[in-house]
Amino acid sequence: MKIHEYQAKELFRNAGVAVPNGIPAFTVDEAVEAAKKLQAGGAKGFVVKAQIHAGGRGKGGGVKIAKTLEEVKPLAEKILGMNLVTHQTGPEGKLVQRLFIEEATPPKTEMYLSLILDRDRSCVSILASAEGGMDIEELAEKSPEKILTLPVDPGLGWQAFHSRKLASFLGLTLDMKSPSRMFQQLHNFMDRLYAMFVEKDCSILEINPLALVGEGADEKLMALDGKINFDSNALARHPDIQKLQDPSEEDPAELEAAKWDLNFISLDGNIGCMVNGAGLAMSTMDIIQHYGGEPANFLDVGGGATAEKVTEAFKLITKDPKVKAIFVNIFGGIMKCDTIAEGVIAATKQVGLTLPLVVRLEGTNVEKGREMLANSGLKITPATSMDDGAKKVVAAMKEGN
Ligand code: GDP
Ligand code: MN
């Protein structure tokens, strides 16, 4: 699950990780009020930042500096409600519905920092680079030596030697005027960030830029941007994090599917699929592609689905206007074929299905299931195998187009 930058920074702040002062705003008036409050707190300038679940906002025009309080309003008017296109949103862009107003803290140095769940090493690893602000994927391709990968032993957690390695790689100890103070800041920053990452079951945490701001004794290490993804399977133990989910940023079909505990992912093709078991779902998508079709979704109804759940799954598929034909491919093991047939018949009647429907059933209670479909009076094309079904549904889709 993803959250917004302002929510990530609130978590940073609560964990004792330094961030600039900032206030979220949902309207232009709130943005101006937020800037006034920040000014009363000593802010000289402001940053108006679009809040969407995608990076690259700066380049896309979603992050603007206001030198004075007067400049905040026109910038907020411009950014709020805009369709922000970045390299991460795709060409269709994303509607900006929230803003974050921050105290301007011009960075002297911009670095890159992230914490990732490193599955190869079975631990949390830190990625860092002295070259922040830019696209890390690009840097990884062009100059991989400029990125440090630092695995952290889960049993030991963050240690001072990690901070020393990191400080020296980032060149932070080179500040001879106050080397120990900067080192202490970095150590506190990392120690707290690492603890938060583990405690909150994060899967990715990215700070780009991690910046040095302020002069002399006021020099500070701060997170100027913040992105966090959480392990969705761990949300049950973090109701506070679950509350941060912004439904308007999620795919509505995937949200609906989550309510019914269905494994569903929207795709770009036009053949709707209903399958049980993740492996069968993957091979179904492959075989559709093999015969020249494109799946519209990945949908695994699971092993213990009820007829009601199957009905909801079917409704989800048919709600997608891209879908031109449907392929139901079920291997009845724990899931019984007659339960699937019952769900398919109920759903088809409820939604008044007009699309071609190909059904392949195999396994427990298959005869009963086939009989129910044959006697339902519905226009269903039965398939004798997965191969036969895939061919038939691709042909039906082509005829329909
Ligand atoms: P992103 O483009 O979506 O990654 O958004 P960022 O939060 O990283 O903002 C884009 C850029 O704004 C940063 O890389 C900074 O270089 C720049 N920037 C300049 N001044 C400031 C400032 O005072 N505060 C913040 N947050 N960013 C600033
Ligand atoms: Mn950034």
Side-chain angles (χ1 to χ4, degrees):
M1 186 193 100
K2 294 179 183 174
I3 59 172
H4 288 292
E5 173 198 4
Y6 76 91
Q7 297 166 322
K9 283 181 167 167
E10 185 69 30
L11 292 172
F12 290 170
R13 190 192 305 279
N14 293 340
V17 172
V19 288
N21 291 323
I23 302 169
F26 294 78
T27 63
V28 172
D29 286 344
E30 279 178 28
V32 174
E33 277 313 302
K36 279 184 189 159
K37 266 192 205 148
L38 292 171
Q39 192 175 48
K44 305 255 166 2
F46 313 89
V47 193
V48 181
K49 308 186 81 175
Q51 299 294 289
I52 55 168
H53 285 187
R57 296 162 302 162
K59 277 188 198 152
V63 178
K64 296 279 182 204
I65 309 278
K67 287 192 208 73
T68 62
L69 184 64
E70 289 65 44
E71 284 175 30
V72 171
K73 194 174 176 198
L75 286 175
E77 280 169 344
K78 201 164 150 216
I79 299 176
L80 193 67
M82 87 187 275
N83 188 47
L84 184 52
V85 180
T86 81
H87 66 278
Q88 286 186 8
T89 59
E92 68 278 12
K94 262 192 173 170
L95 179 68
V96 179
Q97 292 172 297
R98 303 179 184 195
L99 294 175
F100 190 36
I101 313 300
E102 269 192 333
E103 171 173 7
T105 47
K108 293 191 302 179
T109 310
E110 295 187 271
M111 297 164 283
Y112 175 90
L113 175 76
S114 63
L115 283 71
I116 54 159
L117 192 63
D118 189 338
R119 294 178 198 276
D120 290 340
R121 298 183 176 90
S122 303
C123 69
V124 174
S125 285
I126 310 306
L127 300 181
S129 176
E131 293 189 19
M134 69 183 284
D135 208 4
I136 193 69
E137 286 85 0
E138 201 183 314
L139 188 65
E141 210 163 280
K142 285 191 188 147
S143 329
E145 75 286 353
K146 288 185 178 162
I147 301 174
L148 171 75
T149 305
L150 195 58
V152 182
D153 186 316
L156 293 175
W158 190 260
Q159 300 287 321
F161 80 86
H162 292 124
S163 297
R164 269 182 231 115
K165 269 195 185 168
L166 187 59
S168 114
F169 188 83
L170 295 175
L172 288 176
T173 45
L174 296 180
D175 177 9
M176 295 314 285
K177 276 174 269 173
S178 56
S180 59
R181 209 183 57 86
M182 183 43 72
F183 175 78
Q184 197 55 48
Q185 274 200 46
L186 178 73
H187 183 63
N188 289 344
F189 191 101
M190 292 306 302
D191 189 42
R192 293 163 185 174
L193 200 62
Y194 177 85
M196 191 201 91
F197 187 94
V198 174
E199 208 263 312
K200 302 287 183 197
D201 290 305
C202 305
S203 55
I204 298 177
L205 189 161
E206 188 181 55
I207 297 176
N208 187 21
L210 168 70
L212 280 182
V213 306
E215 298 295 335
D218 287 333
E219 188 172 64
K220 264 207 164 100
L221 190 66
M222 266 190 178
L224 290 200
D225 193 4
K227 162 187 168 159
I228 310 180
N229 292 1
F230 298 90
D231 179 349
S232 305
N233 294 315
L235 285 173
R237 52 187 192 195
H238 301 291
D240 55 326
I241 302 293
Q242 178 79 72
K243 266 192 279 181
L244 301 179
Q245 186 175 47
D246 177 358
S248 70
E249 290 279 340
E250 309 290 334
D251 179 320
E254 286 176 21
L255 278 182
E256 183 67 24
K259 263 198 245 162
W260 293 93
D261 199 23
L262 295 161
N263 297 312
F264 179 89
I265 296 160
S266 297
L267 300 169
D268 296 332
N270 52 13
I271 297 181
C273 306
M274 184 163 86
V275 188
N276 67 328
L280 189 60
M282 302 265 237
S283 37
T284 302
M285 287 161 49
D286 282 351
I287 201 162
I288 285 174
Q289 268 170 329
H290 177 75
Y291 285 116
E294 291 286 341
N297 67 277
F298 170 100
L299 171 58
D300 166 16
V301 293
T306 57
E308 194 192 18
K309 198 165 150 180
V310 172
T311 309
E312 291 306 323
F314 214 79
K315 281 199 221 157
L316 264 178
I317 297 177
T318 50
K319 241 185 233 164
D320 182 348
K322 291 195 307 292
V323 171
K324 297 284 178 275
I326 300 173
F327 184 23
V328 175
N329 184 17
I330 300 290
F331 190 84
I334 302 170
M335 174 61 125
K336 294 184 184 66
C337 293
D338 54 326
T339 306
I340 290 286
E342 193 186 330
V344 168
I345 293 165
T348 325
K349 287 189 175 153
Q350 276 185 38
V351 299
L353 188 75
T354 50
L355 297 168
L357 171 63
V358 178
V359 181
R360 178 253 177 167
L361 294 177
E362 202 58 74
T364 311
N365 293 355
V366 62
E367 294 308 332
K368 196 171 166 200
R370 285 187 187 152
E371 200 181 299
M372 285 166 72
L373 290 177
N375 297 337
S376 65
L378 297 167
K379 218 179 111 252
I380 294 172
T381 310
T384 51
S385 67
M386 187 157 154
D387 192 74
D388 181 46
K391 275 187 215 160
K392 282 179 173 158
V393 76
V394 171
M397 175 273 292
K398 286 188 176 152
E399 257 167 53
N401 268 349

